[in-house]
PDB file of all heavy atoms in Angstrom:
ATOM      1  N   TYR A 128     -11.407  12.594  26.216  1.00 96.00           N
ATOM      2  CA  TYR A 128     -12.257  11.975  27.184  1.00 96.00           C
ATOM      3  C   TYR A 128     -12.582  12.802  28.330  1.00 96.00           C
ATOM      4  O   TYR A 128     -13.595  12.700  29.030  1.00 96.00           O
ATOM      5  CB  TYR A 128     -11.575  10.754  27.829  1.00 96.00           C
ATOM      6  CG  TYR A 128     -11.504   9.542  26.858  1.00 96.00           C
ATOM      7  CD1 TYR A 128     -10.303   9.069  26.333  1.00 96.00           C
ATOM      8  CD2 TYR A 128     -12.621   8.801  26.586  1.00 96.00           C
ATOM      9  CE1 TYR A 128     -10.343   7.946  25.488  1.00 96.00           C
ATOM     10  CE2 TYR A 128     -12.684   7.778  25.740  1.00 96.00           C
ATOM     11  CZ  TYR A 128     -11.403   7.287  25.156  1.00 96.00           C
ATOM     12  OH  TYR A 128     -11.386   6.208  24.300  1.00 96.00           O
ATOM     13  N   ASN A 132     -14.861  11.463  32.525  1.00 94.00           N
ATOM     14  CA  ASN A 132     -14.766   9.903  32.472  1.00 94.00           C
ATOM     15  C   ASN A 132     -13.694   9.409  33.375  1.00 94.00           C
ATOM     16  O   ASN A 132     -12.533   9.899  33.418  1.00 94.00           O
ATOM     17  CB  ASN A 132     -14.437   9.640  30.864  1.00 94.00           C
ATOM     18  CG  ASN A 132     -15.588   9.853  30.049  1.00 94.00           C
ATOM     19  OD1 ASN A 132     -16.633   9.289  30.313  1.00 94.00           O
ATOM     20  ND2 ASN A 132     -15.385  10.657  28.935  1.00 94.00           N
ATOM     21  N   PRO A 133     -13.966   8.433  34.183  1.00 94.00           N
ATOM     22  CA  PRO A 133     -13.055   7.802  35.130  1.00 94.00           C
ATOM     23  C   PRO A 133     -12.094   6.939  34.347  1.00 94.00           C
ATOM     24  O   PRO A 133     -12.459   6.330  33.417  1.00 94.00           O
ATOM     25  CB  PRO A 133     -13.930   7.119  36.181  1.00 94.00           C
ATOM     26  CG  PRO A 133     -15.063   6.686  35.292  1.00 94.00           C
ATOM     27  CD  PRO A 133     -15.361   7.924  34.423  1.00 94.00           C
ATOM     28  N   ALA A 134     -10.871   6.698  34.845  1.00 96.00           N
ATOM     29  CA  ALA A 134     -10.005   5.833  34.200  1.00 96.00           C
ATOM     30  C   ALA A 134     -10.317   4.411  34.687  1.00 96.00           C
ATOM     31  O   ALA A 134     -10.787   4.187  35.858  1.00 96.00           O
ATOM     32  CB  ALA A 134      -8.493   6.181  34.608  1.00 96.00           C
ATOM     33  N   PRO A 135      -9.991   3.296  33.809  1.00 98.00           N
ATOM     34  CA  PRO A 135      -9.506   3.488  32.494  1.00 98.00           C
ATOM     35  C   PRO A 135     -10.533   3.812  31.501  1.00 98.00           C
ATOM     36  O   PRO A 135     -11.681   3.637  31.561  1.00 98.00           O
ATOM     37  CB  PRO A 135      -9.078   2.041  32.227  1.00 98.00           C
ATOM     38  CG  PRO A 135      -9.940   1.124  33.048  1.00 98.00           C
ATOM     39  CD  PRO A 135     -10.240   1.999  34.230  1.00 98.00           C
ATOM     40  N   CYS A 136      -9.984   4.686  30.514  1.00 98.00           N
ATOM     41  CA  CYS A 136     -10.941   5.185  29.451  1.00 98.00           C
ATOM     42  C   CYS A 136     -11.073   4.228  28.414  1.00 98.00           C
ATOM     43  O   CYS A 136     -10.136   3.561  27.918  1.00 98.00           O
ATOM     44  CB  CYS A 136     -10.223   6.391  28.781  1.00 98.00           C
ATOM     45  SG  CYS A 136      -9.886   7.820  30.035  1.00 98.00           S
ATOM     46  N   ASN A 137     -12.449   4.010  28.074  1.00 97.00           N
ATOM     47  CA  ASN A 137     -12.679   3.035  26.869  1.00 97.00           C
ATOM     48  C   ASN A 137     -13.495   3.850  25.815  1.00 97.00           C
ATOM     49  O   ASN A 137     -14.112   4.833  26.103  1.00 97.00           O
ATOM     50  CB  ASN A 137     -13.393   1.796  27.394  1.00 97.00           C
ATOM     51  CG  ASN A 137     -14.835   2.070  27.860  1.00 97.00           C
ATOM     52  OD1 ASN A 137     -15.729   2.411  27.063  1.00 97.00           O
ATOM     53  ND2 ASN A 137     -15.077   1.967  29.191  1.00 97.00           N
ATOM     54  N   GLU A 138     -13.476   3.219  24.615  1.00 98.00           N
ATOM     55  CA  GLU A 138     -13.975   3.861  23.451  1.00 98.00           C
ATOM     56  C   GLU A 138     -15.572   4.107  23.459  1.00 98.00           C
ATOM     57  O   GLU A 138     -16.081   4.812  22.594  1.00 98.00           O
ATOM     58  CB  GLU A 138     -13.667   3.149  22.188  1.00 98.00           C
ATOM     59  CG  GLU A 138     -12.122   3.058  21.966  1.00 98.00           C
ATOM     60  CD  GLU A 138     -11.416   1.894  22.643  1.00 98.00           C
ATOM     61  OE1 GLU A 138     -11.962   1.222  23.544  1.00 98.00           O
ATOM     62  OE2 GLU A 138     -10.263   1.624  22.364  1.00 98.00           O
ATOM     63  N   GLU A 139     -16.242   3.368  24.361  1.00 97.00           N
ATOM     64  CA  GLU A 139     -17.639   3.445  24.425  1.00 97.00           C
ATOM     65  C   GLU A 139     -18.076   4.795  25.310  1.00 97.00           C
ATOM     66  O   GLU A 139     -19.268   5.076  25.148  1.00 97.00           O
ATOM     67  CB  GLU A 139     -18.292   2.233  25.126  1.00 97.00           C
ATOM     68  CG  GLU A 139     -17.985   0.893  24.343  1.00 97.00           C
ATOM     69  CD  GLU A 139     -18.561   1.023  23.052  1.00 97.00           C
ATOM     70  OE1 GLU A 139     -19.749   1.465  22.712  1.00 97.00           O
ATOM     71  OE2 GLU A 139     -17.741   0.545  22.025  1.00 97.00           O
ATOM     72  N   MET A 140     -17.123   5.331  25.985  1.00 97.00           N
ATOM     73  CA  MET A 140     -17.474   6.504  26.733  1.00 97.00           C
ATOM     74  C   MET A 140     -17.916   7.771  25.881  1.00 97.00           C
ATOM     75  O   MET A 140     -17.277   7.853  24.656  1.00 97.00           O
ATOM     76  CB  MET A 140     -16.296   6.887  27.562  1.00 97.00           C
ATOM     77  CG  MET A 140     -16.016   5.939  28.746  1.00 97.00           C
ATOM     78  SD  MET A 140     -14.454   6.470  29.640  1.00 97.00           S
ATOM     79  CE  MET A 140     -14.560   5.290  31.051  1.00 97.00           C
ATOM     80  N   ARG A 141     -18.817   8.580  26.367  1.00 96.00           N
ATOM     81  CA  ARG A 141     -19.001   9.840  25.575  1.00 96.00           C
ATOM     82  C   ARG A 141     -17.854  10.725  25.760  1.00 96.00           C
ATOM     83  O   ARG A 141     -17.171  10.757  26.829  1.00 96.00           O
ATOM     84  CB  ARG A 141     -20.392  10.478  26.200  1.00 96.00           C
ATOM     85  CG  ARG A 141     -21.586   9.739  25.804  1.00 96.00           C
ATOM     86  CD  ARG A 141     -22.713  10.308  26.548  1.00 96.00           C
ATOM     87  NE  ARG A 141     -22.912  11.754  25.911  1.00 96.00           N
ATOM     88  CZ  ARG A 141     -23.671  11.980  24.826  1.00 96.00           C
ATOM     89  NH1 ARG A 141     -24.211  11.101  24.093  1.00 96.00           N
ATOM     90  NH2 ARG A 141     -23.814  13.278  24.490  1.00 96.00           N
ATOM     91  N   LYS A 142     -17.526  11.489  24.756  1.00 96.00           N
ATOM     92  CA  LYS A 142     -16.509  12.446  24.928  1.00 96.00           C
ATOM     93  C   LYS A 142     -16.836  13.547  25.965  1.00 96.00           C
ATOM     94  O   LYS A 142     -18.010  13.813  26.140  1.00 96.00           O
ATOM     95  CB  LYS A 142     -16.273  13.204  23.520  1.00 96.00           C
ATOM     96  CG  LYS A 142     -15.557  12.225  22.402  1.00 96.00           C
ATOM     97  CD  LYS A 142     -15.003  13.072  21.305  1.00 96.00           C
ATOM     98  CE  LYS A 142     -16.143  13.801  20.458  1.00 96.00           C
ATOM     99  NZ  LYS A 142     -15.595  14.436  19.380  1.00 96.00           N
ATOM    100  N   ARG A 176      -6.866   7.234  19.424  1.00 98.00           N
ATOM    101  CA  ARG A 176      -6.689   8.102  20.616  1.00 98.00           C
ATOM    102  C   ARG A 176      -5.373   7.640  21.368  1.00 98.00           C
ATOM    103  O   ARG A 176      -5.421   6.591  22.052  1.00 98.00           O
ATOM    104  CB  ARG A 176      -7.929   8.018  21.452  1.00 98.00           C
ATOM    105  CG  ARG A 176      -9.177   8.596  20.836  1.00 98.00           C
ATOM    106  CD  ARG A 176     -10.406   8.546  21.631  1.00 98.00           C
ATOM    107  NE  ARG A 176     -11.565   9.129  21.001  1.00 98.00           N
ATOM    108  CZ  ARG A 176     -12.726   9.039  21.378  1.00 98.00           C
ATOM    109  NH1 ARG A 176     -13.102   8.328  22.428  1.00 98.00           N
ATOM    110  NH2 ARG A 176     -13.725   9.687  20.812  1.00 98.00           N
ATOM    111  N   PHE A 178      -2.391   7.850  24.171  1.00 97.00           N
ATOM    112  CA  PHE A 178      -2.271   8.362  25.500  1.00 97.00           C
ATOM    113  C   PHE A 178      -0.955   9.105  25.568  1.00 97.00           C
ATOM    114  O   PHE A 178      -0.868  10.266  25.139  1.00 97.00           O
ATOM    115  CB  PHE A 178      -2.403   7.071  26.485  1.00 97.00           C
ATOM    116  CG  PHE A 178      -3.922   6.810  26.611  1.00 97.00           C
ATOM    117  CD1 PHE A 178      -4.659   6.421  25.613  1.00 97.00           C
ATOM    118  CD2 PHE A 178      -4.519   7.226  27.787  1.00 97.00           C
ATOM    119  CE1 PHE A 178      -6.048   6.098  25.745  1.00 97.00           C
ATOM    120  CE2 PHE A 178      -5.964   6.993  27.857  1.00 97.00           C
ATOM    121  CZ  PHE A 178      -6.676   6.488  26.926  1.00 97.00           C
ATOM    122  N   ILE A 258     -13.165   3.936  16.610  1.00 98.00           N
ATOM    123  CA  ILE A 258     -12.408   4.660  17.518  1.00 98.00           C
ATOM    124  C   ILE A 258     -11.661   3.601  18.359  1.00 98.00           C
ATOM    125  O   ILE A 258     -12.161   2.716  18.799  1.00 98.00           O
ATOM    126  CB  ILE A 258     -13.238   5.452  18.514  1.00 98.00           C
ATOM    127  CG1 ILE A 258     -14.184   6.447  17.677  1.00 98.00           C
ATOM    128  CG2 ILE A 258     -12.512   6.138  19.542  1.00 98.00           C
ATOM    129  CD1 ILE A 258     -15.332   7.009  18.564  1.00 98.00           C
ATOM    130  N   ASN A 260      -8.219   3.155  21.196  1.00 98.00           N
ATOM    131  CA  ASN A 260      -7.333   3.665  22.006  1.00 98.00           C
ATOM    132  C   ASN A 260      -5.821   2.919  21.679  1.00 98.00           C
ATOM    133  O   ASN A 260      -5.970   1.835  21.510  1.00 98.00           O
ATOM    134  CB  ASN A 260      -7.613   3.335  23.529  1.00 98.00           C
ATOM    135  CG  ASN A 260      -8.695   4.100  24.098  1.00 98.00           C
ATOM    136  OD1 ASN A 260      -9.030   5.296  23.641  1.00 98.00           O
ATOM    137  ND2 ASN A 260      -9.284   3.618  25.161  1.00 98.00           N
ATOM    138  N   TYR A 300      -5.491   6.697  32.181  1.00 98.00           N
ATOM    139  CA  TYR A 300      -4.929   5.557  31.386  1.00 98.00           C
ATOM    140  C   TYR A 300      -6.063   4.898  30.620  1.00 98.00           C
ATOM    141  O   TYR A 300      -7.154   5.176  30.710  1.00 98.00           O
ATOM    142  CB  TYR A 300      -4.246   4.631  32.388  1.00 98.00           C
ATOM    143  CG  TYR A 300      -4.995   3.913  33.388  1.00 98.00           C
ATOM    144  CD1 TYR A 300      -5.417   2.545  33.154  1.00 98.00           C
ATOM    145  CD2 TYR A 300      -5.327   4.399  34.635  1.00 98.00           C
ATOM    146  CE1 TYR A 300      -6.074   1.849  34.127  1.00 98.00           C
ATOM    147  CE2 TYR A 300      -6.152   3.766  35.458  1.00 98.00           C
ATOM    148  CZ  TYR A 300      -6.608   2.393  35.206  1.00 98.00           C
ATOM    149  OH  TYR A 300      -7.317   1.712  36.304  1.00 98.00           O
ATOM    150  N   ALA A 301      -5.514   3.968  29.670  1.00 98.00           N
ATOM    151  CA  ALA A 301      -6.362   3.460  28.690  1.00 98.00           C
ATOM    152  C   ALA A 301      -6.890   2.049  29.103  1.00 98.00           C
ATOM    153  O   ALA A 301      -6.248   1.297  29.873  1.00 98.00           O
ATOM    154  CB  ALA A 301      -5.590   3.338  27.365  1.00 98.00           C
ATOM    155  N   ASP A 302      -8.006   1.795  28.592  1.00 98.00           N
ATOM    156  CA  ASP A 302      -8.527   0.355  28.357  1.00 98.00           C
ATOM    157  C   ASP A 302      -8.142   0.072  26.947  1.00 98.00           C
ATOM    158  O   ASP A 302      -8.617   0.568  26.002  1.00 98.00           O
ATOM    159  CB  ASP A 302     -10.057   0.298  28.556  1.00 98.00           C
ATOM    160  CG  ASP A 302     -10.565  -1.207  28.344  1.00 98.00           C
ATOM    161  OD1 ASP A 302      -9.825  -1.921  27.554  1.00 98.00           O
ATOM    162  OD2 ASP A 302     -11.596  -1.482  28.720  1.00 98.00           O
ATOM    163  N   ALA A 303      -7.110  -0.723  26.703  1.00 97.00           N
ATOM    164  CA  ALA A 303      -6.517  -1.063  25.569  1.00 97.00           C
ATOM    165  C   ALA A 303      -7.001  -2.322  24.861  1.00 97.00           C
ATOM    166  O   ALA A 303      -6.460  -2.750  23.854  1.00 97.00           O
ATOM    167  CB  ALA A 303      -4.982  -1.000  25.535  1.00 97.00           C
ATOM    168  N   GLY A 304      -8.187  -2.787  25.382  1.00 98.00           N
ATOM    169  CA  GLY A 304      -8.615  -4.097  24.977  1.00 98.00           C
ATOM    170  C   GLY A 304      -9.121  -4.125  23.502  1.00 98.00           C
ATOM    171  O   GLY A 304      -8.919  -5.053  22.718  1.00 98.00           O
ATOM    172  N   LYS A 305      -9.738  -2.991  23.043  1.00 98.00           N
ATOM    173  CA  LYS A 305     -10.362  -2.988  21.678  1.00 98.00           C
ATOM    174  C   LYS A 305      -9.260  -3.064  20.573  1.00 98.00           C
ATOM    175  O   LYS A 305      -9.292  -3.766  19.571  1.00 98.00           O
ATOM    176  CB  LYS A 305     -11.093  -1.740  21.444  1.00 98.00           C
ATOM    177  CG  LYS A 305     -11.760  -1.673  20.180  1.00 98.00           C
ATOM    178  CD  LYS A 305     -12.712  -0.404  19.985  1.00 98.00           C
ATOM    179  CE  LYS A 305     -13.524  -0.355  18.630  1.00 98.00           C
ATOM    180  NZ  LYS A 305     -14.268   0.688  18.568  1.00 98.00           N
TER     181      LYS A 305
END
Side-chain angles (χ1 to χ4, degrees):
Y128 287 112
N132 291 304
C136 300
N137 70 68
E138 297 88 346
E139 299 302 314
M140 292 174 169
R141 292 176 63 87
K142 289 193 293 184
R176 291 178 177 169
F178 281 70
I258 301 169
N260 288 338
Y300 66 99
D302 177 337
K305 185 175 180 179

